[in-house]
């Protein structure tokens, strides 16, 4: 009968468990440098340097040094001659202390480790080389050495390219300074238009979560980046809230072994508060809109504010924020590069809330497109808004407003410029007709296919204020306006945009709205009912 050594079986179990922790939980050895950064942040480091090479990794930090107890447990894990029971105890102790990065050191197939912990004029050093005896733990005086921990690893199965990419991704919001091969990489907050610190928790108690809310220059959905130990652990999107980013540290309110699902669950009670903070930051930026010189940034903030208005969160405050850029009468010889005034929605609508029922006809608001020069128009005493097509559509949906441009100037330069533009447009259309570059003569209804006729009927039905006639022509000509702003819009039946519109319309009449926007190219806007139908039915099968 063969005798079974139970200690040898326990040793096998320990090795298997160690491999599971270092490979399965980390998804791969390339995540190990990020875990070492996480350990340093949890310890209180404010400056971390990481260097990666082929088969090597070095991490230095200025935080409190690694405790001597954890050094002893790591030494036991690295020594195969230590009894299995002792190694199992060391594994459990390191796991309980959140030492996943230290466990990874013992399970990555490294050939050499040099770990030094500096503090109080002393340096505790753990050195180990594979197949050269047990690790050595020593202590020596270090009167001039700085506080912190430094680790040098060789022979580890780390892909430096993959490790760099991962560390840049998850380390973008690390507090303090994080350098990778000499380059500062924790610059995530610098890429936002604006950001603001926050702390949330019951009144009279220490904050349970803290971080930043921020506004990005791009994006359509609110995102929350969940950090644990300063390193991104997971992220999630929020619906029914305006677009903003939140960077939330949950290390103080969740255990070190928390999973991504645990972090998302811990955030749920604070989602409403985060949404209010995001809207608050947008309102704060809106008060500085006159100071922003880039029209693209001003338009981005206005779009987000209108998006916030749809949620009805902090509605009364939003209505009072001066967010709408306006032109006022001025000397045409002194051209203004920036709007002269900023109007609130309360002033524009006489405090009427979005979605409220209109009494009488929808009010008509004077407005110019951003590319239009106010010096070319006779501005009245009342403000003239500067709005693009998307902003006008949003205000029409929310308040039922209509827009028109102020009349052109009738004197001097304004009249001459208008005549020149009309003349150039007519010359261009005549030249295009001579060279057969644009649409030709309109096709009779009898020559149209059923899908083409249906498209024209749908377009005409939702354009009461646009061109009074939309016709198809033979050829590939692009959409062209004939006879002025309220003239005839001609489109070549084989033009790619028209073919795309026909394909979209096969999905249903709701697709009339995007077809209008595509073909009209700013000459006119479809009725608000077309956009409402689009929003309700665009996902219908």
């Amino acid at each position: 009968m063969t005798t079974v050594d139970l200690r040898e079986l326990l040793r096998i179990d320990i090795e298997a468990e160690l491999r599971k922790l270092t490979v399965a939980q980390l998804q791969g050895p390339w995540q190990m440098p990020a875990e070492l950064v996480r350990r340093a942040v949890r310890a209180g480091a404010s400056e971390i340097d990481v260097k990666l090479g082929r088969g090597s990794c070095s991490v230095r930090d200025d935080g409190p040094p690694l405790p001597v107890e954890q050094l002893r447990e790591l030494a036991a894990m690295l020594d195969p001659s230590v009894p299995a029971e002792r190694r199992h105890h060391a594994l459990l102790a390191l796991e309980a202390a959140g030492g996943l990065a230290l466990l990874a050191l013992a399970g990555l197939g490294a050939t050499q480790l040099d770990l030094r912990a500096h503090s109080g004029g002393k340096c505790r050093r753990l050195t180990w080389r594979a197949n050269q005896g047990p690790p050595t733990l020593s202590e020596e005086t270090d009167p001039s050495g700085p506080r912190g921990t430094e680790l040098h690893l060789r022979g580890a199965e780390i892909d430096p390219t993959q490790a760099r990419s991962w560390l840049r991704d998850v380390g973008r919001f690390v507090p303090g300074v994080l350098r990778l091969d000499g380059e500062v990489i924790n610059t995530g907050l610098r890429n936002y238009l604006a950001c603001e610190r926050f702390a949330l928790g019951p009144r009279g108690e220490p904050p349970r979560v803290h971080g930043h809310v921020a506004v990005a220059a791009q994006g359509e959905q609110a995102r929350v980046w969940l950090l644990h130990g300063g390193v991104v652990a997971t992220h999630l999107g929020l619906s029914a809230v305006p677009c903003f980013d939140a960077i939330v540290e949950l290390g103080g309110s969740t255990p070190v072994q928390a999973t991504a699902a645990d972090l998302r669950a811990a955030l749920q009670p604070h989602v409403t508060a985060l949404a209010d903070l995001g809207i608050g930051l947008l309102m704060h930026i809106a008060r500085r809109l006159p100071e922003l010189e880039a029209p693209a940034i001003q338009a981005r903030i206005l779009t987000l504010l209108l998006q916030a208005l749809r949620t009805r969160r902090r509605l009364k405050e939003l209505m009072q924020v001066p967010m709408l850029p306006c032109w006022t009468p001025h000397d045409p010889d002194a051209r203004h590069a920036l709007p002269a005034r900023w109007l609130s929605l309360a002033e524009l609508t006489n405090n009427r809330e979005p979605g409220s029922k209109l009494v009488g006809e929808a009010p008509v608001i004077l407005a110019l497109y951003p590319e239009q020069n106010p010096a070319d128009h006779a501005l009245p005493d009342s403000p003239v808004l500067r709005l693009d097509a998307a902003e006008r559509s949003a205000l029409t949906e929310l308040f039922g407003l209509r827009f028109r441009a102020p009349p052109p100037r009738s004197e001097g330069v304004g009249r001459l410029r208008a005549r020149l533009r009309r003349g150039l447009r007519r010359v261009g259309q005549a030249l295009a007709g001579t060279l057969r570059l644009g649409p030709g003569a309109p096709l009779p209804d009898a020559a149209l296919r059923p899908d083409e006729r249906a498209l024209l009927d749908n377009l005409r039905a939702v354009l009461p204020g646009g061109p009074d006639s939309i016709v198809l022509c033979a050829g590939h000509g692009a959409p062209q306006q004939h006879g002025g702003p309220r003239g005839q819009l001609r489109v070549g039946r084989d033009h790619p945009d028209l073919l795309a519109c026909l394909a979209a319309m096969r999905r249903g009449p709701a697709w009339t709205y995007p077809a209008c926007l595509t073909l009209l190219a700013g000459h006119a806007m479809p009725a608000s009912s077309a956009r409402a139908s689009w929003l309700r039915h665009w996902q219908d099968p």
Side-chain angles (χ1 to χ4, degrees):
M1 183 175 180
T2 304
T3 302
V4 178
D5 189 344
L6 294 180
R7 293 191 176 188
E8 186 61 28
L9 288 178
L10 185 57
R11 180 189 301 272
I12 294 173
D13 290 341
I14 292 174
E15 299 295 343
E17 189 172 355
L18 185 58
R19 284 194 300 271
K20 177 181 177 181
L21 289 170
T22 57
V23 177
Q25 289 193 14
L26 292 184
Q27 300 181 23
W30 39 271
Q31 290 187 336
M32 193 270 289
E35 292 304 315
L36 291 173
V37 169
R38 194 194 304 270
R39 187 216 66 81
V41 173
R42 285 172 176 164
S46 60
E47 190 168 346
I48 307 170
D49 285 273
V50 180
K51 293 183 179 180
L52 295 171
R54 186 178 295 275
S56 67
C57 172
S58 298
V59 180
R60 289 187 176 90
D61 68 73
D62 64 350
L66 198 66
V68 64
E69 294 80 8
Q70 293 188 22
L71 288 173
R72 292 194 183 104
E73 304 297 352
L74 179 58
M77 286 297 305
L78 291 169
D79 189 356
S81 65
V82 169
E85 296 90 341
R86 174 70 182 92
R87 295 186 73 198
H88 187 72
H89 173 79
L91 186 150
L92 296 177
L94 289 175
E95 186 178 8
L100 181 59
L102 300 180
L103 288 171
L105 296 177
L108 286 178
T111 59
Q112 184 177 340
L113 173 66
D114 187 354
L115 198 158
R116 307 180 188 189
H118 305 268
S119 179
K122 295 181 180 180
C123 174
R124 296 184 177 90
R125 183 177 184 183
L126 173 64
T127 58
W128 170 80
R129 291 191 178 186
N131 303 320
Q132 294 190 18
T136 302
L137 182 59
S138 60
E139 182 178 308
E140 57 188 28
T141 59
D142 186 23
S144 59
R147 186 187 77 163
T149 301
E150 56 181 303
L151 181 147
H152 305 277
L153 188 68
R154 292 187 178 276
E157 302 169 356
I158 300 175
D159 180 351
T161 301
Q162 201 171 8
R164 288 188 183 98
S165 176
W166 177 256
L167 184 56
R168 287 179 183 276
D169 191 28
V170 301
R172 70 184 80 174
F173 302 120
V174 167
V177 178
L178 173 61
R179 297 187 186 91
L180 175 59
D181 297 328
E183 177 190 356
V184 177
I185 63 170
N186 58 330
T187 58
L189 292 176
R190 301 179 192 174
N191 299 325
Y192 291 106
L193 296 177
C195 64
E196 191 175 62
R197 290 181 179 272
F198 74 87
L200 298 175
R203 184 173 298 178
E205 298 182 14
R208 294 184 179 179
V209 297
H210 61 88
H212 293 80
V213 287
V215 174
Q218 296 177 338
E220 298 297 330
Q221 185 183 30
R223 296 178 301 178
V224 182
W225 302 94
L226 300 180
L227 278 56
H228 205 288
V231 177
V232 175
T234 186
H235 65 89
L236 71 156
L238 301 179
S239 58
V241 296
C243 179
F244 68 95
D245 276 20
I247 299 93
V248 183
E249 172 61 58
L250 293 172
S253 58
T254 55
V256 292
Q257 299 90 353
T259 64
D262 296 333
L263 298 181
R264 288 191 287 268
L267 178 75
Q268 285 304 315
H270 307 288
V271 167
T272 300
L274 285 177
D276 288 340
L277 288 171
I279 295 176
L281 179 58
L282 286 172
M283 291 191 293
H284 176 73
I285 301 172
R287 294 184 178 92
R288 296 172 39 229
L289 279 175
E291 305 170 14
L292 303 176
E293 296 186 0
I297 296 179
Q298 294 175 341
R300 168 68 173 172
I301 300 303
L302 176 55
T303 298
L304 296 180
L305 287 167
L306 294 176
Q307 190 183 84
L309 206 66
R310 290 190 177 99
T311 70
R312 305 186 71 87
R313 294 177 182 271
R314 304 180 69 169
L315 181 59
K316 292 184 178 180
E317 297 172 79
L318 280 169
M319 292 289 291
Q320 302 298 326
V321 174
M323 65 176 76
L324 302 171
C326 303
W327 303 109
T328 55
H330 61 272
D331 183 355
D333 295 329
R335 182 175 178 178
H336 291 191
L338 297 175
R341 182 182 172 189
W342 293 79
L343 204 65
S344 71
L345 288 169
E347 294 174 288
L348 179 68
T349 64
N350 293 322
N351 287 310
R352 184 163 56 85
E353 290 192 358
S356 58
K357 188 175 181 179
L358 283 171
V359 178
E361 293 187 1
V364 178
I365 307 298
L366 296 180
L368 293 173
Y369 287 97
E371 60 271 15
Q372 291 179 300
N373 185 356
D376 294 341
H377 297 265
L379 302 184
D381 293 334
S382 58
V384 177
L385 301 183
R386 185 196 71 188
L387 300 170
D388 62 23
E391 293 159 355
R392 297 180 190 213
S393 178
L395 290 172
T396 298
E397 177 190 347
L398 291 166
F399 299 100
L401 304 178
R402 296 182 296 165
F403 300 92
R404 67 174 178 87
R409 286 188 178 274
S410 59
E411 74 280 353
V413 178
R415 182 173 60 186
L416 178 60
R417 286 177 177 172
R419 288 180 175 178
L420 285 174
R421 281 197 296 268
R422 288 195 297 269
L424 289 173
R425 182 172 64 247
R426 290 169 181 168
V427 169
Q429 291 175 352
L431 182 61
T434 302
L435 299 178
R436 298 183 179 179
L437 298 178
L443 294 171
D445 285 347
L448 299 178
R449 298 191 305 268
D451 58 340
E452 293 173 334
R453 191 176 299 109
L455 173 62
L456 293 183
D457 290 342
N458 282 313
L459 291 175
R460 292 164 180 164
V462 299
L463 285 168
D468 56 10
S469 178
I470 302 176
V471 296
L472 298 187
C473 307
H476 297 77
Q480 285 187 4
Q481 195 84 17
H482 289 256
R486 297 184 62 84
Q488 190 178 70
L489 184 70
R490 299 181 182 179
V491 188
R493 72 187 314 178
D494 297 321
H495 189 269
D497 286 352
L498 184 80
L499 297 177
C501 291
L502 290 171
M505 289 295 295
R506 295 188 190 107
R507 299 187 58 179
W511 287 78
T512 303
Y513 178 74
C516 284
L517 298 181
T518 301
L519 297 178
L520 296 178
H523 292 298
M525 286 296 294
S528 59
S529 59
R531 187 177 190 275
S533 176
W534 156 255
L535 293 175
R536 287 195 303 268
H537 301 294
W538 72 276
Q539 288 184 317
D540 291 351

